[in-house]
Amino acid sequence: MSQQGEKPAAHEDDWWRALYDETAPDAGPSGAADSLDDRFDSASDAVGGPETDPAEQVDHPVRVVPLPDPRLPEADLAPEPPRPATEPPPPPAPGPSPARTVAVGRAPWEPPAGPPEPRTFAVRAPAAGPSAVPEPAGAPPVRPAVGHIGDRPPTYDAEPAALPASGPDDLDALVPDTVLDGARYGTYTLRAASVRGDSARFRGEPRRDALLTARFGAGDSALVLVVVAGGARGTEQTRLAAADACRWIGGSVARSHARLSDDIRAGRRGDLKSGLQRLTDRTYGKLRGRAAELGLEPSAYSADLRCLLLSADPECRTRVFFGIGPGGLFRLRDGVWQDLDPVLPATGAEAREESPGGDRLTMDLQITSARPPHAGSPPPPPAEPFRFRASVARSGDTLLLCGNGLAEPMRGEPALAEELARRWTADGPPGLPAYLADTQLRVKGYADDRTSAAVWEA
């Protein structure tokens, strides 16, 4: 009886007994061929069908489902409308069978013959709702713009108009319209920029201010120097004097950077003041010597010099300022600007004043110029005093060192100081393009070069 319960037929029992009857004689070897090739042909006939002519093979229509692009959101995919089913082509008409046909089918390890079967993929339906609308890809990027303070913009245009005139012998003395630099060491971030004034851009005059940013040494003992030098308006030589002042004071600090770095980290203010004053005197001595070589008065080949020394040690927050000449040194603390560079007294050997933050400003008025060799000539005017300050920064402070082109509107236009305070106390230090746009905030009546360096404390 089978698994379904029906009774087997009589001829099935006869076949079973003929196959497994132990009393039946052995059938013996078969007369059919039993080689390896014969077995392969027999297996091929059982697995595959009869061989067909490749010309008779017909490609069946395949419905291709597009794959979603991984670079596009799912909302961009729309469902494809259904296509009508295509009836399969009729089978080929049977032809005359050959005298002897050997059917060779596909072995299990061989690739299937004919066109490959289509692959299908699950496609999710597009998301519905307002989020399915993509953002416009052609929107222009937002660039930092140069604004102005006040109801009306200044007279000159905000962008350069004319290049300075030059000749075949003046190419080495050309300076770019704008210089931008930055760095990050220890707990502070540095931004520095020097921009040609609106008046010089309109008239095609070169930038008179000079800017130097340099690092001496490596590791925690490295020393960062920022120099801002400005020449007087009206003479071509003052621009060259500003560049020379930056180069010469930079060389002097580089040769003494190891000792200066140790003094800053150890807080030896007295040694720093005397040493930096000697380096500054040496620089102005070279300027006077260069003026004599050119046959000029010392005042015709001179520049205002303001420098900032910063240690790369994260444990050192002492910031050292020194220099000669007008300019600005401001500190933004708790959203309020503090002027750390007060007006110096006209007379006196040495004066000490307290800044709003309690830091001491030391001034030495004993720098004198040599008397001219001509008898009866008037004595030279009093020399500019040497300015020095070493203060400890606090977390969140912003220290601004600038030339007279930015110091004057900072003191004369309160709206400029308020706008910079608003921008620089929001989200930490700005990037280089944003800092350049901030320092170029235009104020009517102030069109000189603007050179500055700002330090943001973490």
Side-chain angles (χ1 to χ4, degrees):
M1 182 177 293
S2 65
Q3 296 179 357
Q4 284 76 16
E6 67 270 17
K7 295 181 180 181
H11 64 86
E12 294 182 358
D13 293 340
D14 295 340
W15 176 84
W16 185 269
R17 285 193 296 269
L19 181 61
Y20 290 99
D21 189 5
E22 297 180 357
T23 61
D26 190 3
S30 175
D34 193 22
S35 64
L36 180 60
D37 294 336
D38 296 331
R39 294 190 179 187
F40 180 83
D41 294 340
S42 176
S44 301
D45 294 341
V47 174
E51 183 179 7
T52 59
D53 189 359
E56 298 177 358
Q57 295 181 359
V58 179
D59 293 339
H60 296 279
V62 176
R63 181 177 182 269
V64 180
V65 179
L67 297 179
D69 193 343
R71 297 170 298 178
L72 299 177
E74 298 177 2
D76 295 339
L77 301 178
E80 184 181 2
R83 299 183 181 178
T86 306
E87 297 180 0
S97 59
R100 182 177 183 273
T101 303
V102 179
V104 180
R106 179 181 64 87
W109 57 83
E110 294 179 351
E117 294 293 332
R119 294 184 299 172
T120 58
F121 300 87
V123 180
R124 290 178 291 180
S131 60
V133 180
E135 293 293 334
V142 179
R143 295 188 177 95
V146 178
H148 65 275
I149 300 298
D151 298 335
R152 295 182 300 172
T155 304
Y156 300 108
D157 190 44
E159 301 298 332
L163 292 173
S166 61
D169 300 330
D170 303 332
L171 298 179
D172 293 339
L174 290 178
V175 292
D177 175 270
T178 303
V179 176
L180 187 62
D181 205 353
R184 184 174 64 250
Y185 290 98
T187 59
Y188 63 86
T189 300
L190 172 66
R191 297 287 183 262
S194 181
V195 184
R196 187 164 53 138
D198 293 343
S199 175
R201 285 177 168 181
F202 177 78
R203 302 176 186 277
E205 299 175 354
R207 178 169 50 88
R208 296 183 304 274
D209 285 359
L211 173 67
L212 173 67
T213 54
R215 174 182 60 89
F216 309 115
D220 292 346
S221 61
L223 190 64
V224 176
L225 170 67
V226 182
V227 183
V228 174
R233 178 188 294 183
T235 60
E236 175 67 19
Q237 301 299 330
T238 56
R239 176 177 64 87
L240 303 177
D244 287 341
C246 286
R247 184 170 61 254
W248 288 333
I249 192 65
S252 299
V253 172
R255 287 184 288 270
S256 306
H257 77 273
R259 177 64 182 274
L260 291 172
S261 178
D262 292 341
D263 290 343
I264 292 176
R265 298 166 70 184
R268 292 188 283 265
R269 299 193 180 192
D271 295 343
L272 284 170
K273 177 180 177 297
S274 59
L276 293 174
Q277 184 172 350
R278 285 195 300 269
L279 299 182
T280 306
D281 289 345
R282 192 176 305 168
T283 298
Y284 276 87
K286 291 182 178 181
L287 289 176
R288 290 191 294 268
R290 180 60 177 164
E293 293 176 2
L294 299 175
L296 302 173
E297 292 292 332
S299 59
Y301 199 86
S302 184
D304 304 325
L305 187 67
R306 308 180 75 79
C307 309
L308 193 63
L309 288 176
L310 308 169
S311 175
D313 189 354
E315 303 297 329
C316 179
R317 286 183 176 265
T318 302
R319 313 297 179 230
V320 177
F321 157 77
F322 68 97
I324 289 179
L329 181 66
F330 305 93
R331 181 172 59 197
L332 180 61
R333 174 172 290 178
D334 298 330
V336 179
W337 284 108
Q338 301 173 357
D339 192 342
L340 305 184
D341 194 13
V343 179
L344 302 178
T347 58
E350 184 172 327
R352 292 180 174 86
E353 296 183 2
E354 294 291 334
S355 68
D359 297 324
R360 187 178 66 181
L361 175 65
T362 305
M363 295 154 288
D364 192 338
L365 308 182
Q366 296 180 350
I367 304 175
T368 58
S369 303
R371 292 179 58 84
H374 308 287
S377 60
E384 285 284 346
F386 176 74
R387 305 168 188 252
F388 174 84
R389 177 186 295 277
S391 60
V392 178
R394 298 180 187 176
S395 177
D397 285 356
T398 300
L399 188 64
L400 176 62
L401 173 73
C402 57
N404 216 32
L406 183 57
E408 288 183 352
M410 282 287 291
R411 296 188 177 106
E413 186 62 43
L416 175 62
E418 293 175 1
E419 178 64 18
L420 289 180
R422 185 187 66 84
R423 296 188 180 192
W424 290 356
T425 55
D427 299 321
L432 292 180
Y435 177 76
L436 179 62
D438 293 344
T439 56
Q440 284 185 280
L441 277 173
R442 307 167 69 221
V443 181
K444 192 174 182 63
Y446 300 94
D448 289 340
D449 297 350
R450 289 190 178 183
T451 305
S452 62
V455 180
W456 277 263
E457 302 290 343

